[in-house]
Amino acid sequence: MQKPSHESRPIAITILAVVMFAASGLLIFDRVVNFYTYRTSASITAINDSNVINLQVVSGIAFLLIGLVPIVLAIGLWQLKSWARFLSLCLFSAIMLPALAASLGLISPPSPDNLLNVPTFFDDFIAADSSKHISKLAKINPYLAGSSAIAIAILIHPSIVRTFQRHRPKLRS
C-alpha cells in the first residue's frame, strides 16, 4: 500500500499544468490541420517540386516543435520540478511582454503587408497604425498578456515557490 503524501500539488499548479497541456494540444492540432490543408491544396504547385524548400512547411514543423515545449513544461509542473517552474516563468514572460507591448500600441504586430519587410530604426516600426487590418493574433494579444500575467503570478506566489523548493532532490554527500 502506498504511503499517503503529507503534501499535495497546489490546485493552482494543477490547473496551470492542465491548461498548458490543453493549449499546447490545440496548437499542435491546429498546426497539423493547417499543414494537411496546405499539403492537399490543389493551388499550391511549389510543394510538389522537391528542389524547393517551402516556407510554409518549415514554419509548420517549427510550430509543431514549439507546441511541444508547453507539454514538457506542463509535465514538469505536474511533477513539481523546479526546472519546469523556472522555464515556465521564462516562457510566460516571453509571451507576456511582446503581447502587452502590442496591446498598448508600443509596437505594431506583424501583418501580411509588412511581414517580410525588414524594419529599421527610421521606419517607425514601433508605431502601431490602427487604420490597417488587424490580425487575429493582434486581437488576442490582451488575452495572451493577461493569462501570462496570471500564470506568472501563480508561479511566483510564495507558497508555490516553497512547494517547489520542498520537492527539490536532495544532494548526496
Side-chain angles (χ1 to χ4, degrees):
M1 191 162 134
Q2 199 174 32
K3 185 177 169 183
S5 175
H6 61 84
E7 183 179 5
S8 63
R9 179 184 323 100
I11 189 71
I13 294 298
T14 301
I15 292 170
L16 184 61
V18 168
V19 168
M20 286 174 67
F21 195 83
S24 185
L26 286 174
L27 176 68
I28 291 171
F29 176 75
D30 179 62
R31 289 290 101 200
V32 169
V33 168
N34 284 339
F35 185 73
Y36 177 75
T37 303
Y38 181 75
R39 295 285 295 179
T40 58
S41 175
S43 64
I44 306 299
T45 58
I47 196 144
N48 296 326
D49 184 5
S50 63
N51 295 326
V52 176
I53 297 176
N54 197 298
L55 184 60
Q56 183 73 20
V57 174
V58 173
S59 68
I61 293 169
F63 274 117
L64 283 174
L65 295 175
I66 290 170
L68 294 176
V69 171
I71 289 177
V72 171
L73 294 177
I75 292 169
L77 287 175
W78 186 268
Q79 297 174 351
L80 297 175
K81 303 290 184 185
S82 60
W83 59 263
R85 182 183 157 274
F86 173 76
L87 292 176
S88 295
L89 281 167
C90 294
L91 174 73
F92 287 120
S93 297
I95 293 170
M96 183 188 75
L97 295 176
L100 182 62
S103 298
L104 297 174
L106 300 175
I107 59 172
S108 60
S111 68
D113 299 331
N114 67 4
L115 187 60
L116 297 178
N117 294 340
V118 178
T120 63
F121 182 78
F122 302 107
D123 285 341
D124 287 332
F125 71 95
I126 60 171
D129 185 3
S130 61
S131 66
K132 291 186 178 180
H133 174 71
I134 298 176
S135 68
K136 290 180 184 177
L137 182 61
K139 291 178 184 176
I140 65 168
N141 274 332
Y143 302 108
L144 287 173
S147 59
S148 294
I150 291 169
I152 290 171
I154 289 169
L155 291 169
I156 64 172
H157 192 275
S159 65
I160 300 292
V161 172
R162 282 192 300 274
T163 300
F164 278 91
Q165 286 174 344
R166 282 191 289 264
H167 282 83
R168 277 195 177 151
K170 307 266 190 281
L171 297 176
R172 294 180 196 175
S173 311

